[in-house]
């Protein structure tokens, strides 16, 4: 790094195979809108989910075009809803265990896993590091950096609950993908943005994705 040059310190976003790719898209858009750099890891299973939920094939050789198309879609699947500048994103293949984020010496602010499947939760809790997503999460924990796990599953069995407690004990923030209605949601995108906003709250990233509670009953009612 040249003298006077600012070191790039990204948020690492891992996308696992759980349903909920609109949550990941909303988090990514908000991070980029906030001027944050992002390192992206997309698991093999999540590519299948993304294809099923959006019709988008996420390809290594064309990841920028595919990511741009993905982030442009609204939660209702409508293309061209948003505009996203992905120039601040660096992509790492999930099978590349020699990638930068696999080492604790790689600079990063922390990691967000959104959505997090129960298989991903188990792998991180047990320290399996079977792919780059799990390895990066393990590195994030050992380096005492922020790790936010947006688990998306229902119902939760005892084994998964124990894994989530393990992650909490290790210092991670567990944020279930549970939309709330007090913010006055009128569209599916509002519900998605609420969850994405709570994920970013846990990471300490400023955003304007949802209307916050101000202690006034009826604040979420639709205007007449």
């Amino acid at each position: 790094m040249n003298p006077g040059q600012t070191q790039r310190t990204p948020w690492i976003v891992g996308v696992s195979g759980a349903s909920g790719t609109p949550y990941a898209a909303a988090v990514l858009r908000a991070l980029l809108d906030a001027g944050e750099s992002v390192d992206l890891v997309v698991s093999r299973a999540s590519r299948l989910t993304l294809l099923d939920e959006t019709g988008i094939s996420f390809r290594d050789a064309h990841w920028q075009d595919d990511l741009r198309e993905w982030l442009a879609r609204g939660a209702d699947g409508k293309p061209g809803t948003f505009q996203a500048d992905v120039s601040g994103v660096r992509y790492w293949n999930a099978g590349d265990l020699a990638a930068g984020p696999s080492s604790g010496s790689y600079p990063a602010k922390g990691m967000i896993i959104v959505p997090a499947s129960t298989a991903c939760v188990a792998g991180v809790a047990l320290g399996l590091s079977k792919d780059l997503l799990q390895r990066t999460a393990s590195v994030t924990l050992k380096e005492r950096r922020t790790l936010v796990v947006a688990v998306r599953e229902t119902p939760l069995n005892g084994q998964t609950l124990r894994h989530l407690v393990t992650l909490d004990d290790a210092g991670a923030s567990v944020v279930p993908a549970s939309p709330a209605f007090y913010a006055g949601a009128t569209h599916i995108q509002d519900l998605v943005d609420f969850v994405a906003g709570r994920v970013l709250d846990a990471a300490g990233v400023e955003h304007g994705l949802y209307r916050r509670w101000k202690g006034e009953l009826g604040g979420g009612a639709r205007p007449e």
Side-chain angles (χ1 to χ4, degrees):
M1 186 169 63
N2 296 327
Q5 183 178 358
T6 302
Q7 177 176 260
R8 181 180 182 275
T9 309
W11 280 98
I12 302 170
V13 176
V15 185
S16 79
S19 176
T21 55
Y23 294 131
V27 167
L28 287 165
R29 284 193 300 266
L31 285 171
L32 295 172
D33 287 346
E36 299 285 353
S37 297
V38 173
D39 278 21
L40 178 63
V41 181
V42 179
S43 76
R44 292 180 60 186
S46 69
R47 295 175 189 234
L48 298 177
T49 307
L50 182 63
L51 180 62
D52 183 53
E53 294 185 345
T54 69
I56 297 172
S57 297
F58 197 90
R59 303 159 295 175
D60 288 344
H62 304 281
W63 70 266
Q64 287 178 310
D65 292 335
D66 296 337
L67 178 62
R68 193 177 294 110
E69 181 183 359
W70 176 21
L71 299 189
R73 286 180 182 262
D76 58 2
K78 183 178 178 180
T81 301
F82 299 98
Q83 291 184 343
D85 179 4
V86 301
S87 60
V89 179
R90 184 172 185 178
Y91 169 70
W92 301 95
N93 184 287
D96 185 4
L97 290 176
S102 68
S103 171
S105 65
Y106 184 80
K109 291 183 177 179
M111 183 179 188
I112 299 169
I113 305 177
V114 56
S117 67
T118 54
C120 174
V121 166
V124 176
L126 296 173
L128 298 183
S129 296
K130 73 168 188 176
D131 62 9
L132 181 61
L133 194 158
Q134 292 185 12
R135 170 60 185 169
T136 303
S138 294
V139 168
T140 301
L141 289 175
K142 81 179 183 68
E143 296 295 325
R144 299 296 191 265
R145 296 170 183 160
T146 298
L147 175 63
V148 182
V149 180
V151 61
R152 213 307 305 167
E153 186 57 274
T154 190
L156 295 172
N157 62 28
Q159 188 175 44
T160 297
L161 290 169
R162 285 187 286 273
H163 288 151
L164 291 173
V165 170
T166 297
L167 291 179
D168 179 76
D169 289 343
S173 294
V174 177
V175 182
S178 302
F181 298 87
Y182 62 78
T186 59
H187 189 276
I188 186 175
Q189 188 67 53
D190 298 327
L191 298 174
V192 168
D193 284 347
F194 178 86
V195 172
R198 295 299 287 148
V199 168
L200 293 171
D201 287 345
V205 177
E206 293 187 7
H207 64 87
L209 288 176
Y210 70 90
R211 182 165 56 189
R212 297 183 181 277
W213 175 250
K214 297 181 179 179
E216 300 174 358
L217 292 178
R222 296 186 185 183
E224 297 296 334

